[in-house]
Amino acid sequence: MSTPSQPDPRADQASVSDEKLLAAHEPILGQQPDEKGKYRLLPLALLFIFSGMIFFGGTYLGRFSGWFDARVFNEYGTPPKAGAAAVPVDPVVAGKKLYAIPGACITCHQPNGAGLPGAFPTLVKSEWVTGSDERLVRIVLHGLTGPIKVAGVDFNSAMPGFGPGGGFNWSDDKIAAVLTYIRQEWGNQSGAISTDRVAAIRTKEAARKTPWTAAELEKLP
Amino acid sequence: MPTVPTNAVPAEVTAIDTQARGPLLLLLGSGLLWLVVGGVLALIAAIQLHSPQFLADCAYLTPGRAQALRETAFVYGWLANAGLGLALWILGRLGGEPLRGLNWAVAGTLFWNLGIAAGLVGIATGDMTSFTLLQLPRYVLPLLVFAYACIALPGVLAWSGRRADMMYASQWYAVAALFLFPWLLMASQAVLLWWPVRGVVQPIAAGWHVQSMWTLWLAPLALAVLHYVLPKVSGRTLPAYEWASLSFWTLLFAGAWTGGRHLVGGPVPAWIPTMAVVAGSLLLFHYLVLVINCRGIMGAEGTGAGFLRFGFVAYVLFGGLDFLASFRSLAEGSQFTLVEPALREIGLYGAISMMFFGGIYYAVPRLTNRVWASGAMIGGHRVLVIAGIVGAVLALAIAGNSQGSALLDPKVSFAEMANQMRVSLLAHTAAQAVLLAANLLLLVNFLRSACCCGTSTEAPPALFAVESAKEGSAS
């Protein structure tokens, strides 16, 4: 205290003791009620700011809450009406997306469905695609291996299964969608394959573990 | 502005300080040790941001692990130890009685630090979890809860056995932090690690955890320090103290609701990110009242006040930016970029750590009954740490900004993006190196001060008498 001009940076001086600090703040909180006028009102400006923030918060919540519905993921959305029928999915649209998943159909059969000459067969105007659905569903469910003649050209390669045990493990409606897509795209004009049809064949071939060969499939109708 | 009356001049260093010396210096010291360890890890993680091949062959320090190690050492090592040490000290002083049960605190500190060390080894060997601010493997977490309870015990005893009936703002904040953290840690480890909730609920719980760590634990600890040291050095009452409780309760109630701000665009119901914006707007009360109450720190003198001033500004800045970042239109460009770490650097380093530094500079001379060993090292630490924080935040923000716009443009390739950010990321590495140097200075200064305490007669007892010279000067 003898040298108050330049305080020592190595230790901060305290201006007030702990007891005094407590004692000075105690009356401000107004342990006694306000009859002595010892409290201060919230200033009008602060009150307005606070009300403004509450108003903003309330309005924002009302506008973007999505009615607090667990099914609304977009802040501008509205909850689906009770009892409204689920929107039917167009199998061609869904199938196109499935076809284009990297590592799925598109990798070998190419975006235009033409395959790679000498390696992977075409899907365009292929009798295997536009013909028997019994054969086609089995190929996608369990895969195909060995020699096969497609649109007059010989191939000998392998296709993995997309059904049980495969890396994709597609459900019946996904397989139905992708097959309907390839049967109606690139100028193919065959009928749709229904989910029930895929489910029936899946049940029938539940014991099948290995990929099919063309010879086996040709015995089927 | 009312002045706290200072008639008597009681000694400033009391039995409360001398009796708590060992345990509290142990807490603060281990915190500083972790700070330096975390600084080394931060440097490694920073280098890996621009040179991914650095230490990439070392399985223990691959980029993901280095980042997790760095964050854990910083938050659970440095911030926890230092924050607890300061909270105990403040609760003891304001309680008016020497701290009881300090043996528990010593045992707790040892177990806490053992737990952190074991957790870091666990992270390095591949047991880290995927949740921000909760990356410790789950097997150390029960030990940490137990150790935390032991450390907190003297603080709770000092609070429940306090001499005065009323509580001062620092006590609200410190006690809230002491009680809320174990609850928070138990709740989040239960729903995230032991019995993981499934699907969409998991990111919601993780977002809640991140924001709660900030608003229910770290911010209250830092504000306890600010609310205590400010009137002590300025000698004035807080100008709007009657609204301070409004500020306190807003932080506690609205704070954790901002967790949804990490989930913008995520697979969660729309109302959860919306709620984060609403909670953020309510939280502005907290920041506004805090600014009114603690603006006195801007003119306060002293070493501790200098650090607290920086921390106070950073805290308010962080509050505003955190609120802005919760809006969907801004989050689109900022989330998943380096803007997020820049924000966290403002919060955890600029705000919380700087306030803890201020508290340490104020408390340690009283605990050791001796001035800091070196004034030059204090000055060096201040210059370096401020330069480091400002540099790191700016570098990350600039990098994140260019990254954010590049990520939204499908034509920009990843390599191009990395090239754009390279200069800023190099600057970030330099800033982390500066921070490491700064904190080494603090650690050395602390060790020199702590190891010699009691042996030197350099500090006359009168140094720590409460000055009466300022009486009447502030009016």
Side-chain angles (χ1 to χ4, degrees):
Chain A
M1 278 188 289
S2 49
T3 55
S5 54
Q6 190 58 44
D8 186 349
R10 297 175 299 165
D12 290 333
Q13 298 297 331
S15 303
V16 60
S17 72
D18 293 322
E19 290 83 6
K20 290 276 156 42
L21 189 155
L22 283 169
H25 284 93
E26 184 168 7
I28 306 179
L29 277 194
Q31 290 194 319
Q32 66 278 37
D34 49 293
E35 76 266 14
K36 289 173 188 164
K38 282 199 168 178
Y39 75 111
R40 276 190 289 162
L41 279 172
L42 212 55
L44 215 52
L46 268 189
L47 203 61
F48 269 111
I49 295 175
F50 286 2
S51 313
M53 291 323 293
I54 291 176
F55 179 77
F56 166 79
T59 316
Y60 194 89
L61 193 61
R63 180 74 187 76
F64 296 119
S65 66
W67 282 266
F68 293 99
D69 193 297
R71 293 163 299 175
V72 177
F73 295 87
N74 173 353
E75 67 274 19
Y76 295 101
T78 49
K81 290 208 177 64
V87 184
V89 180
D90 182 357
V92 175
V93 174
K96 185 170 186 173
K97 283 186 189 161
L98 291 166
Y99 184 89
I101 293 175
C105 325
I106 199 165
T107 311
C108 299
H109 295 295
Q110 302 301 305
N112 58 4
L116 287 175
F120 304 117
T122 176
L123 303 177
V124 184
K125 301 281 191 297
S126 152
E127 68 275 22
W128 292 92
V129 171
T130 55
S132 159
D133 56 353
E134 288 272 350
R135 299 176 187 173
L136 184 58
V137 170
R138 279 179 174 79
I139 292 174
V140 174
L141 269 176
H142 305 113
L144 180 73
T145 184
I148 186 171
K149 198 180 199 51
V150 179
V153 185
D154 283 311
F155 291 92
N156 190 357
S157 61
M159 167 176 156
F162 287 75
F168 282 88
N169 199 7
W170 275 349
S171 60
D172 295 332
D173 48 349
K174 282 187 178 172
I175 291 178
V178 79
L179 290 183
T180 304
Y181 168 70
I182 62 169
R183 274 160 80 92
Q184 299 182 355
E185 183 77 9
W186 313 302
N188 292 346
Q189 285 171 353
S190 298
I193 291 182
S194 69
T195 306
D196 294 340
R197 187 92 178 105
V198 180
I201 296 174
R202 187 196 287 262
T203 321
K204 204 165 143 193
E205 300 292 350
R208 181 88 195 183
K209 293 277 183 284
T210 50
W212 297 90
T213 59
E216 282 178 296
L217 288 173
E218 270 159 1
K219 292 178 195 150
L220 293 164
Chain B
M1 208 169 291
T3 311
V4 180
T6 51
N7 304 326
V9 187
E12 173 68 351
V13 174
T14 60
I16 302 174
D17 299 306
T18 43
Q19 189 244 5
R21 175 181 297 161
L24 294 193
L25 287 181
L26 176 66
L27 267 171
L28 297 178
S30 32
L32 290 174
L33 211 56
W34 283 120
L35 178 64
V36 171
V37 172
V40 174
L41 293 164
L43 193 58
I44 294 174
I47 293 174
Q48 286 173 339
L49 271 184
H50 53 77
S51 310
Q53 71 278 14
F54 179 68
L55 287 181
D57 297 332
C58 172
Y60 305 117
L61 288 170
T62 50
R65 289 182 189 175
Q67 189 58 40
L69 287 171
R70 175 259 158 120
E71 181 188 286
T72 305
F74 190 78
V75 174
Y76 288 88
W78 148 242
L79 292 179
N81 275 310
L84 278 171
L86 292 169
L88 291 192
W89 183 67
I90 289 169
L91 283 172
R93 284 195 139 222
L94 290 176
E97 304 278 357
L99 287 168
R100 289 173 289 156
L102 277 169
N103 289 341
W104 286 92
V106 174
T109 311
L110 295 178
F111 277 111
W112 176 270
N113 289 316
L114 275 179
I116 300 297
L120 290 185
V121 171
I123 291 176
T125 51
D127 287 341
M128 64 184 270
T129 76
S130 57
F131 302 106
T132 310
L133 295 184
L134 190 66
Q135 295 178 326
L136 285 162
R138 68 177 188 180
Y139 46 76
V140 299
L141 289 173
L143 172 69
L144 289 189
V145 174
F146 166 76
Y148 190 96
C150 293
I151 304 175
L153 186 71
V156 175
L157 288 177
W159 164 67
S160 61
R162 64 189 182 275
R163 203 179 267 172
D165 268 347
M166 62 89 66
M167 283 167 70
Y168 175 63
S170 282
Q171 284 163 298
W172 315 334
Y173 281 113
V175 171
L178 290 189
F179 277 109
L180 287 176
F181 178 71
W183 167 71
L184 157 71
L185 192 61
M186 283 195 283
S188 25
Q189 66 173 289
V191 300
L192 290 174
L193 301 179
W194 292 103
W195 302 278
V197 289
R198 309 231 321 236
V200 169
V201 191
Q202 208 171 69
I204 298 174
W208 176 82
H209 176 78
V210 169
Q211 291 300 96
S212 299
M213 284 284 278
W214 169 259
T215 58
L216 299 185
W217 183 44
L218 295 172
L221 283 175
L223 293 179
V225 176
L226 177 65
H227 279 87
Y228 179 72
V229 177
L230 167 59
K232 286 288 280 185
V233 295
S234 74
R236 300 176 183 184
T237 54
L238 300 181
Y241 186 64
E242 62 269 48
W243 313 320
S245 54
L246 177 68
S247 178
F248 171 74
W249 287 114
T250 319
L251 179 69
L252 290 203
F253 277 124
W257 282 97
T258 57
R261 91 158 190 72
H262 300 282
L263 301 171
V264 172
V268 296
W271 66 269
I272 289 179
T274 298
M275 203 59 212
V277 178
V278 175
S281 72
L282 296 182
L283 213 49
L284 292 182
F285 294 5
H286 164 72
Y287 291 106
L288 184 61
V289 172
L290 189 80
V291 167
I292 295 173
N293 255 329
C294 297
R295 62 178 192 267
I297 198 71
M298 301 311 288
E301 287 170 12
T303 307
F307 285 88
L308 283 166
R309 179 166 32 223
F310 188 97
F312 169 70
V313 172
Y315 183 78
V316 175
L317 182 70
F318 175 83
L321 292 175
D322 199 47
F323 174 54
L324 287 180
S326 66
F327 281 95
R328 289 180 173 85
S329 45
L330 284 167
E332 260 175 16
S334 71
Q335 68 180 353
F336 311 127
T337 69
L338 290 167
V339 173
E340 284 288 324
L343 259 182
R344 202 166 301 150
E345 206 81 341
I346 300 180
L348 294 181
Y349 231 125
I352 307 287
S353 298
M354 284 300 270
M355 292 204 241
F356 284 177
F357 288 144
I360 287 175
Y361 277 118
Y362 186 82
V364 167
R366 285 160 175 79
L367 285 169
T368 57
N369 199 15
R370 180 172 185 283
V371 296
W372 279 90
S374 159
M377 285 170 98
I378 294 177
H381 177 234
R382 178 168 50 215
V383 171
L384 288 179
V385 85
I386 289 177
I389 291 173
V390 172
V393 168
L394 285 181
L396 284 173
I398 291 169
N401 197 32
S402 75
Q403 187 188 17
S405 48
L407 277 174
L408 291 177
D409 184 353
K411 287 197 278 294
V412 181
S413 75
F414 192 79
E416 235 174 290
M417 212 187 298
N419 270 339
Q420 280 176 11
M421 296 192 300
R422 190 170 168 78
V423 175
S424 341
L425 291 180
L426 285 171
H428 172 238
T429 301
Q432 290 292 351
V434 170
L435 280 175
L436 177 62
N439 295 325
L440 266 175
L441 276 184
L442 174 57
L443 179 67
V444 170
N445 205 1
F446 174 85
L447 289 178
R448 281 175 60 194
S449 312
C451 293
C452 312
C453 68
T455 60
S456 163
T457 53
E458 189 192 338
L463 188 68
F464 292 118
V466 173
E467 267 191 311
S468 57
K470 285 189 181 175
E471 187 187 354
S473 65
S475 55

